[in-house]
Amino acid sequence: MTGLLALVAAALFTGAAFYITVAEQPARLALDDRALLAQWLPAYRRGAMMQAPLAIIGAVLGAAAWWTSGGWHFLLGALLMLTNLPWTLVVILPVNRRLGAIGPEDDPAPIRPLVRKWGWLHLVRTLLGMLATGAYLAALAPVT
């Protein structure tokens, strides 16, 4: 049951990350620079409030499933989900801070390149979630 819950958390995380990558990011890049930043700021805050707990829950449940079952796929999935946290804090957060520091009177020139960079960095989170979901699926697959 713990493994199934880990899979659900990883799949929810991945679905949200995938949506951001393939739908929200391209749509926001169609906006002018000021509107782009105005959309990105609240969207990122709301997304972080959803995705951070899902990453932690998915990692903890995957580790618990590994601990109780010994299945290495659960450990792999847990590590992949957990990797989202340092990736976000060490690699993505500096970009977030630079974007958040841009005021309404500041030069808008850095906005688009920073949001593009953020999108590529966020793609890594999407891929980590996909790999973790795949690992959990493999762990739960019946052995034939």
Side-chain angles (χ1 to χ4, degrees):
M1 180 62 145
T2 306
L4 182 59
L5 292 174
L7 172 63
V8 169
L12 288 170
F13 174 92
T14 302
F18 187 78
Y19 172 80
I20 292 165
T21 298
V22 302
E24 189 172 288
Q25 179 72 354
R28 79 168 54 102
L29 288 171
L31 301 171
D32 68 76
D33 292 346
R34 294 271 181 218
L36 169 63
L37 184 60
Q39 190 283 334
W40 181 86
L41 287 166
Y44 179 78
R45 288 184 191 116
R46 289 181 180 133
M49 289 187 329
M50 175 187 53
Q51 283 194 290
L54 286 171
I56 293 167
I57 291 167
V60 168
L61 289 171
W66 165 72
W67 185 259
T68 58
S69 74
W72 69 269
H73 286 96
F74 283 124
L75 179 59
L76 176 61
L79 292 172
L80 288 164
M81 289 301 294
L82 191 60
T83 300
N84 280 292
L85 297 175
W87 177 257
T88 300
L89 295 174
V90 174
V91 180
I92 298 178
L93 191 57
V95 175
N96 296 353
R97 287 190 175 136
R98 286 181 63 196
L99 282 165
I102 299 172
E105 302 303 318
D106 294 337
D107 178 16
I111 294 172
R112 186 165 304 275
L114 284 170
V115 172
R116 283 189 189 280
K117 180 177 182 177
W118 179 90
W120 287 109
L121 296 174
H122 186 270
L123 175 62
V124 173
R125 292 170 47 89
T126 304
L127 296 173
L128 288 169
M130 291 172 134
L131 291 169
T133 301
Y136 290 156
L137 281 170
L140 293 167
V143 178
T144 57

